[in-house]
Amino acid sequence: MNKVRLLTPGPCPVPSRVRLAIARPVIHHRSDEYHRVHAEVVAGLRQVFRTSGDVFLFASSGTGVMESAVVNLLSAGDTAIVICGGKFGERWAEICKAHGVIVAPVDVDWGKAVDPASVEKALVEIPDAAAVFATLCETSTGTKTDIRALAAITREKRAVLVTDATSGLCVSELRMDAWGVDVAVAGCQKGLMLPTGLGVAVVGSAKARGLVEKSRLSKYYFDWKAAGAAATKNETAWSAPASLVIGLKESLDLIMAEGLDAVLARHARLARAGRAGAAALGLELLAKDSPAEGLTALIVPEGIQADALRERMAEQYGVLVAGGQGPLRGKIIRIAHMGYADALDVIAAISALEMALADLGWPVEIGKGVSAAERELRNQAGS
Ligand SMILES: *Cc1c(COP(=O)(O)O)cnc(C)c1O
C-alpha cells in the first residue's frame, strides 16, 4: 500500500465533506437550487475576501481569472506596473503583454518581498499607470507580499491595485475593503480546498468599476459586465461549474465553522513549525524576510539533487512536494501547508524530508527536524 500525502502548493488536498458534496447529482445552473447555492457562495466569498464588492465565478483555473482582470480593467496601450518577483508575478506581466498592455516591471529578487517604496517610486514616474498587479503569496518562492502597504499607496493614486490571492486566500490575511484593494482574483484549488476548475474575481471599488466601464480590450467568456448582469440573478453568464460551486459552499462552511481568524492562525502555526523543523536540519529558507504562511520553500543543500530528494520523498515515503520553477528549478523544494492541512501534515513533511536526506547520504540527525517542529507546535499550543 502506498498512502500519498499531497503537500504541493496547488493542487491541495480536498476534505471528504467537500468531495462528497461534489459527488452529488448534477443540478441545473438555471434552477432555484443553483440560485440558492450561488448566493450562499457569493456571501461566503465576500466574508473571506473581507469585501462587500462584486463577486464573479468562472469555470477556470487561477490563470483564467487573472486574464479576466487584465482584459476587463485595461485597454491596449495602457501601462501596468507589475511586481515581478517570481513565476506568478511574471505571469501577470505575460498576460498584460499578450493583450497589448505596456508593462513597467518592478523587479524583485526571487525570494525577496517587494519594497512598497519601489512601487510608490514607479507610480510617481508613471503617474498615468492604470493598474498595479501584485501577488499576495508568490507561490514560486514562498514569499508573502505586503498588500496592505501597497493598497495604502495606490489608494492615493489613479492606478487600481489588483491582487492575485490564489495561494493566499484563507491562508494569509487579506482585507480588501479595509485596506483598499480594488480587485482580487483567485483559483479555488488552494486555501479554498477545491479541485482545480473554479476561479473567482472580485471587484471591490468604484475606481475599479470605472475602469471596467472604460476597458476596450477584447473579451467574451470572461466579460465582467456579462458576469455582473448574471450575478444579479445569482447565476453565471455561461454554464456554471455547479458541482464545484456546491463543493465551495461546503469548503466555506468548514472555514466559517473553524473561524476565518482561526484558519489564518492555524496556517501561521504550521508555517512556524515547518520553518523550525527545516532550520533544525540545517536547511536554509528561501524567503527569509517575508515567508508566506501557506508554504515553505527550502534551498536544497549542496551535494543533494532536488529532483532526487523529491523523488525519494514521494516514492519511499508517499510525501509529494513541489520543486522550483524557472531559475529556481533544481535549487529548492516547496512544502505546502495550505488549505486542508494540519500539524501532522507538517510533521509528515519534515519526517519524510529528514529521512530522504539521510537516505541520500546527507548528514542529518534523524528525528532532529521532527523534534524541533513538534516542540514549536507544542509551544504554540501553550504546553
Ligand atoms: C496556483 C496559482 C495560480 C493559479 O494557477 P493555475 O494553474 O492557472 O490555476 C495563480 N497564482 C498563484 C499565486 C498561484 O499560486
Side-chain angles (χ1 to χ4, degrees):
M1 189 176 76
N2 201 358
K3 190 164 175 178
V4 174
R5 289 178 170 81
L6 180 66
L7 304 181
T8 54
C12 300
V14 177
S16 48
R17 236 181 89 174
V18 178
R19 285 189 281 121
L20 288 168
I22 293 168
R24 282 180 209 150
V26 166
I27 64 168
H28 198 277
H29 57 280
R30 307 286 180 214
S31 64
D32 289 346
E33 195 179 358
Y34 180 76
H35 295 159
R36 270 196 301 279
V37 71
H38 185 103
E40 286 167 349
V41 159
V42 166
L45 287 169
R46 285 198 179 110
Q47 283 182 274
V48 296
F49 280 97
R50 301 197 199 258
T51 184
S52 60
D54 310 321
V55 176
F56 306 136
L57 306 181
F58 293 98
S60 109
S61 79
T63 306
V65 280
M66 289 170 76
E67 183 158 25
S68 84
V70 171
V71 298
N72 281 282
L73 292 166
L74 302 178
S75 301
D78 278 353
T79 299
I81 292 167
V82 181
I83 297 161
C84 293
K87 190 83 187 159
F88 290 99
E90 287 187 349
R91 187 166 301 176
W92 274 133
E94 287 166 9
I95 296 169
C96 285
K97 286 177 190 161
H99 290 285
V101 171
I102 299 160
V103 170
V106 173
D107 289 315
V108 182
D109 290 344
W110 287 35
K112 292 263 181 345
V114 68
D115 177 359
S118 59
V119 175
E120 187 155 34
K121 184 165 163 272
L123 279 166
V124 169
E125 283 164 8
I126 314 163
D128 64 345
V132 174
F133 288 94
T135 311
L136 173 55
C137 166
E138 176 48 83
T139 322
S140 63
T141 65
T143 306
K144 183 168 70 169
T145 304
D146 189 348
I147 296 297
R148 183 184 199 163
L150 296 180
I153 294 164
T154 52
R155 246 186 165 156
E156 315 294 323
K157 303 279 196 292
R158 185 170 171 267
V160 289
L161 177 62
V162 185
T163 299
D164 172 6
T166 298
S167 58
L169 188 68
C170 298
V171 176
S172 300
E173 192 174 32
L174 174 67
R175 295 178 177 271
M176 276 190 81
D177 289 1
W179 293 353
V181 178
D182 300 284
V183 172
V185 297
C188 296
Q189 72 269 32
K190 308 207 180 168
L192 286 174
M193 308 185 287
L194 272 197
T196 306
L198 186 59
V200 183
V202 185
V203 182
S205 71
K207 192 157 77 168
R209 283 183 202 100
L211 280 190
V212 172
E213 284 308 314
K214 279 189 0 199
S215 164
R216 288 284 164 270
L217 288 179
S218 300
K219 56 223 157 228
Y220 189 84
Y221 176 78
F222 283 118
D223 189 337
W224 285 357
K225 285 187 194 161
T232 63
K233 299 179 286 180
N234 289 313
E235 289 185 0
T236 51
W238 327 113
S239 295
S243 296
L244 288 178
V245 177
I246 288 169
L248 183 52
K249 165 72 171 69
E250 216 60 34
S251 287
L252 289 164
D253 283 354
L254 286 170
I255 288 162
M256 291 314 160
E258 186 176 351
L260 183 54
D261 287 333
V263 169
L264 302 185
R266 166 166 55 85
H267 284 93
R269 194 163 68 237
L270 298 183
R272 285 195 295 266
R275 293 196 293 267
L281 296 174
L283 296 186
E284 195 183 338
L285 192 64
L286 177 67
K288 289 179 207 62
D289 57 344
S290 181
E293 281 83 6
L295 76 155
T296 299
L298 299 170
I299 297 170
V300 174
E302 205 132 345
I304 295 288
Q305 282 198 319
D307 286 346
L309 178 61
R310 284 201 303 127
E311 211 173 285
R312 186 74 189 171
M313 289 175 76
E315 280 169 16
Q316 193 66 23
Y317 304 109
V319 171
L320 262 64
V321 300
Q325 297 167 288
L328 291 174
R329 180 174 294 276
K331 298 207 166 67
I332 60 167
I333 60 165
R334 295 175 296 145
I335 300 169
H337 24 80
M338 187 183 289
Y340 187 48
D342 70 0
L344 290 188
D345 286 325
V346 174
I347 296 299
I350 297 294
S351 172
L353 176 61
E354 63 185 7
M355 288 195 285
L357 282 169
D359 296 344
L360 296 176
W362 179 255
V364 288
E365 191 187 314
I366 283 295
K368 204 173 169 191
V370 166
S371 165
E374 285 180 356
R375 264 181 280 118
E376 181 64 31
L377 287 164
R378 295 188 74 245
N379 277 342
Q380 296 165 22
S383 330

